[in-house]
Amino acid sequence: MKYIAKKLLDLIPTLLGISLVCFFLIRLIPGDPVLNLIGERGADPARYLEMKKALGLDLPITEQFWIYLKSIFRGDIGTSIISNNSVWNEFIERFPATLELGIVALIGATVIGIPVGIFAAMKRNSFFDYFLMSTSLVGYSMPIFWWGLILILLFSVKMGITPVSGRIDFIYDIPVFSGLYLIDTLRPEVFSQEGFGPFLSALKHLILPSIALGTIPLAVIARMTRSSMLEVLGEDYIRTAKAKGMSKKRIIYIHALRNALVPIITTLALLFGSIITGAILTETIFSWPGIGKWIVASITARDYPVIQGGVLIISFVIVLTNIIVDIIYYLLNPKMRS
């Protein structure tokens, strides 16, 4: 309990540090949010000063930060300068799109990455091993924005197989239930009228963004699986199983994989952070209406409350995920407890 309490207490200074850095860094970005809001043509001095005072931007920056901190502790992460909507409500509206994209990308990376890693470990130092690990290294090193554009050029522009952008064809108007289109399009009231059309449309729109977002996690999972499998395959109990004449398939899938999966599961949880941060670029390239595209648009518009609030919520989710992983690892690993 002491370890868990310490980890949870670490959350407070971490989020305070992130709030502090984010608050001051975004004010170093060139541009004026008031001018962005009212436009340079309508910026007569009196109106400009009035708007600046209304937004609290005329106060000293340290006082602005203090007011921001107090509002966070009251549970208010701000109101958008541009839309005048609550930052929290805007986040909740867009988060399902990012969540759906992240889940599909992570599932795809796991389903492909683990068998690739196992196969590479079984064929250690062979041509297949070198080929698969070299390919995974290329996938890990590839910038998302470049990879996303290549995918669009090949599969959308040249072949016309997949849509270029968006979540679903504009002819479908799907009532929001969970916000996850792969689920909402199969609800009885939608399916009875439209059939599989909306589901297939949502699925086709997901293919390219999820490939772009899942490439780096796939490379990490494949390399992690190979490394973990090789470590387990060198253990004494595996040699004992071989000496007993146990089949290779049984040794790999029953004994080795079960133990090798522990660090892989930990890696999967930690990859959640890279999925969220990678979504910022992916959503911008594919015009995916999630939190990544929302934050990039807010940076362009110098919408300070949205940038601060969005970064704070994302940071909270990532840090909390890492703490939960640490706690689970601590509970599962006797060496750490001792």
Short mmCIF file of all heavy atoms in Angstrom, two decimals, residues 105-107 109-111 113-114 217-218 220-222 224-225 261-275 321-322 325:
data_model
loop_
_atom_site.label_atom_id
_atom_site.label_comp_id
_atom_site.label_asym_id
_atom_site.label_seq_id
_atom_site.Cartn_x
_atom_site.Cartn_y
_atom_site.Cartn_z
N ALA A 105 -5.59 0.51 -33.98
CA ALA A 105 -4.15 0.50 -34.29
C ALA A 105 -3.40 -0.46 -33.36
O ALA A 105 -2.54 -1.23 -33.81
CB ALA A 105 -3.58 1.91 -34.18
N LEU A 106 -3.74 -0.43 -32.06
CA LEU A 106 -3.03 -1.26 -31.09
C LEU A 106 -3.38 -2.75 -31.27
O LEU A 106 -2.50 -3.61 -31.16
CB LEU A 106 -3.37 -0.81 -29.67
CG LEU A 106 -2.44 -1.29 -28.56
CD1 LEU A 106 -1.00 -0.89 -28.85
CD2 LEU A 106 -2.87 -0.74 -27.20
N ILE A 107 -4.66 -3.03 -31.58
CA ILE A 107 -5.05 -4.43 -31.81
C ILE A 107 -4.32 -4.97 -33.05
O ILE A 107 -3.76 -6.07 -33.04
CB ILE A 107 -6.58 -4.55 -31.98
CG1 ILE A 107 -7.28 -4.31 -30.64
CG2 ILE A 107 -6.97 -5.92 -32.54
CD1 ILE A 107 -8.79 -4.29 -30.72
N ALA A 109 -1.50 -3.92 -34.34
CA ALA A 109 -0.07 -4.05 -34.05
C ALA A 109 0.20 -5.30 -33.21
O ALA A 109 1.20 -6.00 -33.43
CB ALA A 109 0.42 -2.81 -33.31
N THR A 110 -0.69 -5.60 -32.28
CA THR A 110 -0.50 -6.77 -31.41
C THR A 110 -0.71 -8.07 -32.17
O THR A 110 0.10 -9.01 -32.04
CB THR A 110 -1.50 -6.71 -30.23
OG1 THR A 110 -1.38 -5.44 -29.60
CG2 THR A 110 -1.22 -7.80 -29.22
N VAL A 111 -1.79 -8.12 -32.96
CA VAL A 111 -2.12 -9.35 -33.70
C VAL A 111 -1.02 -9.71 -34.70
O VAL A 111 -0.71 -10.89 -34.91
CB VAL A 111 -3.48 -9.17 -34.43
CG1 VAL A 111 -3.72 -10.29 -35.41
CG2 VAL A 111 -4.61 -9.12 -33.41
N GLY A 113 2.28 -8.18 -34.58
CA GLY A 113 3.61 -8.09 -33.97
C GLY A 113 4.02 -9.31 -33.17
O GLY A 113 5.18 -9.74 -33.26
N ILE A 114 3.10 -9.89 -32.39
CA ILE A 114 3.46 -11.04 -31.55
C ILE A 114 3.84 -12.27 -32.41
O ILE A 114 4.91 -12.86 -32.18
CB ILE A 114 2.34 -11.36 -30.55
CG1 ILE A 114 2.29 -10.26 -29.49
CG2 ILE A 114 2.56 -12.72 -29.88
CD1 ILE A 114 1.22 -10.43 -28.43
N PRO A 217 4.16 1.02 -32.97
CA PRO A 217 3.89 -0.01 -31.93
C PRO A 217 4.11 -1.43 -32.44
O PRO A 217 4.59 -2.29 -31.70
CB PRO A 217 2.40 0.24 -31.61
CG PRO A 217 2.18 1.67 -31.91
CD PRO A 217 3.05 1.96 -33.09
N LEU A 218 3.77 -1.70 -33.71
CA LEU A 218 3.99 -3.05 -34.27
C LEU A 218 5.47 -3.42 -34.23
O LEU A 218 5.85 -4.53 -33.83
CB LEU A 218 3.47 -3.09 -35.71
CG LEU A 218 3.35 -4.46 -36.39
CD1 LEU A 218 2.33 -4.38 -37.52
CD2 LEU A 218 4.67 -4.95 -36.96
N VAL A 220 7.76 -2.18 -32.26
CA VAL A 220 8.19 -2.35 -30.86
C VAL A 220 7.75 -3.71 -30.32
O VAL A 220 8.53 -4.43 -29.67
CB VAL A 220 7.61 -1.21 -29.98
CG1 VAL A 220 7.89 -1.47 -28.51
CG2 VAL A 220 8.18 0.13 -30.40
N ILE A 221 6.49 -4.09 -30.60
CA ILE A 221 5.96 -5.36 -30.09
C ILE A 221 6.72 -6.55 -30.70
O ILE A 221 7.06 -7.51 -30.00
CB ILE A 221 4.44 -5.46 -30.40
CG1 ILE A 221 3.67 -4.44 -29.57
CG2 ILE A 221 3.92 -6.87 -30.11
CD1 ILE A 221 2.23 -4.26 -29.99
N ALA A 222 6.99 -6.48 -32.02
CA ALA A 222 7.70 -7.58 -32.67
C ALA A 222 9.10 -7.76 -32.08
O ALA A 222 9.51 -8.88 -31.76
CB ALA A 222 7.80 -7.30 -34.18
N MET A 224 10.17 -6.68 -29.13
CA MET A 224 10.05 -7.06 -27.71
C MET A 224 9.70 -8.54 -27.56
O MET A 224 10.25 -9.24 -26.70
CB MET A 224 8.95 -6.19 -27.07
CG MET A 224 8.83 -6.37 -25.58
SD MET A 224 10.26 -5.71 -24.73
CE MET A 224 10.07 -6.48 -23.12
N THR A 225 8.79 -9.03 -28.43
CA THR A 225 8.40 -10.44 -28.38
C THR A 225 9.59 -11.33 -28.70
O THR A 225 9.83 -12.35 -28.02
CB THR A 225 7.25 -10.71 -29.38
OG1 THR A 225 6.17 -9.83 -29.10
CG2 THR A 225 6.76 -12.15 -29.28
N LEU A 261 5.01 -13.48 -22.28
CA LEU A 261 3.96 -12.46 -22.46
C LEU A 261 3.95 -11.40 -21.37
O LEU A 261 3.43 -10.31 -21.58
CB LEU A 261 2.58 -13.14 -22.52
CG LEU A 261 2.18 -13.72 -23.88
CD1 LEU A 261 0.82 -14.39 -23.78
CD2 LEU A 261 2.14 -12.63 -24.94
N VAL A 262 4.53 -11.69 -20.18
CA VAL A 262 4.47 -10.73 -19.07
C VAL A 262 5.11 -9.39 -19.45
O VAL A 262 4.45 -8.34 -19.36
CB VAL A 262 5.12 -11.32 -17.80
CG1 VAL A 262 5.15 -10.29 -16.69
CG2 VAL A 262 4.35 -12.56 -17.35
N PRO A 263 6.37 -9.36 -19.91
CA PRO A 263 6.93 -8.05 -20.30
C PRO A 263 6.25 -7.47 -21.54
O PRO A 263 6.20 -6.24 -21.70
CB PRO A 263 8.40 -8.37 -20.60
CG PRO A 263 8.46 -9.83 -20.83
CD PRO A 263 7.36 -10.43 -20.01
N ILE A 264 5.68 -8.33 -22.40
CA ILE A 264 5.00 -7.81 -23.60
C ILE A 264 3.73 -7.07 -23.21
O ILE A 264 3.43 -6.00 -23.75
CB ILE A 264 4.67 -8.98 -24.57
CG1 ILE A 264 5.96 -9.63 -25.03
CG2 ILE A 264 3.88 -8.48 -25.77
CD1 ILE A 264 5.75 -10.95 -25.76
N ILE A 265 3.00 -7.63 -22.24
CA ILE A 265 1.77 -6.95 -21.77
C ILE A 265 2.12 -5.61 -21.14
O ILE A 265 1.43 -4.60 -21.35
CB ILE A 265 1.02 -7.86 -20.77
CG1 ILE A 265 0.46 -9.07 -21.52
CG2 ILE A 265 -0.09 -7.11 -20.06
CD1 ILE A 265 -0.10 -10.16 -20.65
N THR A 266 3.22 -5.56 -20.39
CA THR A 266 3.66 -4.29 -19.81
C THR A 266 3.99 -3.29 -20.91
O THR A 266 3.62 -2.12 -20.84
CB THR A 266 4.92 -4.52 -18.94
OG1 THR A 266 4.67 -5.58 -18.03
CG2 THR A 266 5.29 -3.28 -18.17
N THR A 267 4.65 -3.77 -21.96
CA THR A 267 5.00 -2.89 -23.08
C THR A 267 3.74 -2.37 -23.77
O THR A 267 3.66 -1.21 -24.16
CB THR A 267 5.86 -3.66 -24.10
OG1 THR A 267 7.00 -4.18 -23.43
CG2 THR A 267 6.30 -2.77 -25.24
N LEU A 268 2.73 -3.24 -23.91
CA LEU A 268 1.48 -2.82 -24.55
C LEU A 268 0.85 -1.66 -23.80
O LEU A 268 0.36 -0.70 -24.41
CB LEU A 268 0.50 -3.99 -24.59
CG LEU A 268 0.75 -5.07 -25.64
CD1 LEU A 268 -0.28 -6.18 -25.50
CD2 LEU A 268 0.68 -4.48 -27.02
N ALA A 269 0.85 -1.75 -22.47
CA ALA A 269 0.26 -0.67 -21.68
C ALA A 269 1.05 0.62 -21.85
O ALA A 269 0.47 1.71 -21.97
CB ALA A 269 0.23 -1.08 -20.21
N LEU A 270 2.39 0.50 -21.90
CA LEU A 270 3.21 1.70 -22.06
C LEU A 270 3.09 2.30 -23.46
O LEU A 270 3.30 3.49 -23.65
CB LEU A 270 4.68 1.36 -21.75
CG LEU A 270 4.97 0.95 -20.31
CD1 LEU A 270 6.42 0.53 -20.15
CD2 LEU A 270 4.66 2.10 -19.35
N LEU A 271 2.75 1.45 -24.45
CA LEU A 271 2.59 1.96 -25.81
C LEU A 271 1.36 2.85 -25.96
O LEU A 271 1.21 3.55 -26.95
CB LEU A 271 2.48 0.78 -26.79
CG LEU A 271 3.80 0.13 -27.20
CD1 LEU A 271 3.53 -1.12 -28.02
CD2 LEU A 271 4.66 1.10 -27.98
N PHE A 272 0.48 2.80 -24.95
CA PHE A 272 -0.71 3.65 -25.00
C PHE A 272 -0.32 5.12 -25.13
O PHE A 272 -0.95 5.89 -25.87
CB PHE A 272 -1.54 3.43 -23.73
CG PHE A 272 -2.77 4.27 -23.67
CD1 PHE A 272 -3.88 3.96 -24.43
CD2 PHE A 272 -2.82 5.40 -22.86
CE1 PHE A 272 -5.02 4.75 -24.37
CE2 PHE A 272 -3.94 6.19 -22.80
CZ PHE A 272 -5.05 5.86 -23.55
N GLY A 273 0.74 5.51 -24.43
CA GLY A 273 1.21 6.90 -24.51
C GLY A 273 1.65 7.27 -25.90
O GLY A 273 1.32 8.35 -26.42
N SER A 274 2.41 6.36 -26.55
CA SER A 274 2.88 6.68 -27.91
C SER A 274 1.73 6.69 -28.91
O SER A 274 1.76 7.41 -29.90
CB SER A 274 3.96 5.67 -28.34
OG SER A 274 3.38 4.41 -28.56
N ILE A 275 0.68 5.89 -28.63
CA ILE A 275 -0.49 5.90 -29.51
C ILE A 275 -1.18 7.27 -29.44
O ILE A 275 -1.55 7.85 -30.47
CB ILE A 275 -1.49 4.80 -29.08
CG1 ILE A 275 -0.95 3.41 -29.43
CG2 ILE A 275 -2.86 5.01 -29.71
CD1 ILE A 275 -1.12 2.99 -30.85
N THR A 321 -1.85 5.88 -16.62
CA THR A 321 -1.65 4.56 -17.23
C THR A 321 -0.30 3.98 -16.81
O THR A 321 -0.19 2.80 -16.44
CB THR A 321 -1.71 4.65 -18.76
OG1 THR A 321 -2.93 5.26 -19.14
CG2 THR A 321 -1.63 3.27 -19.41
N ASN A 322 0.74 4.81 -16.85
CA ASN A 322 2.07 4.34 -16.46
C ASN A 322 2.12 3.94 -15.00
O ASN A 322 2.76 2.95 -14.62
CB ASN A 322 3.12 5.44 -16.73
CG ASN A 322 3.39 5.60 -18.21
OD1 ASN A 322 3.22 4.66 -18.97
ND2 ASN A 322 3.78 6.78 -18.62
N VAL A 325 0.45 0.59 -14.61
CA VAL A 325 1.35 -0.46 -15.09
C VAL A 325 2.43 -0.75 -14.05
O VAL A 325 2.75 -1.91 -13.76
CB VAL A 325 2.00 -0.04 -16.43
CG1 VAL A 325 3.10 -1.03 -16.82
CG2 VAL A 325 0.95 0.02 -17.52
#
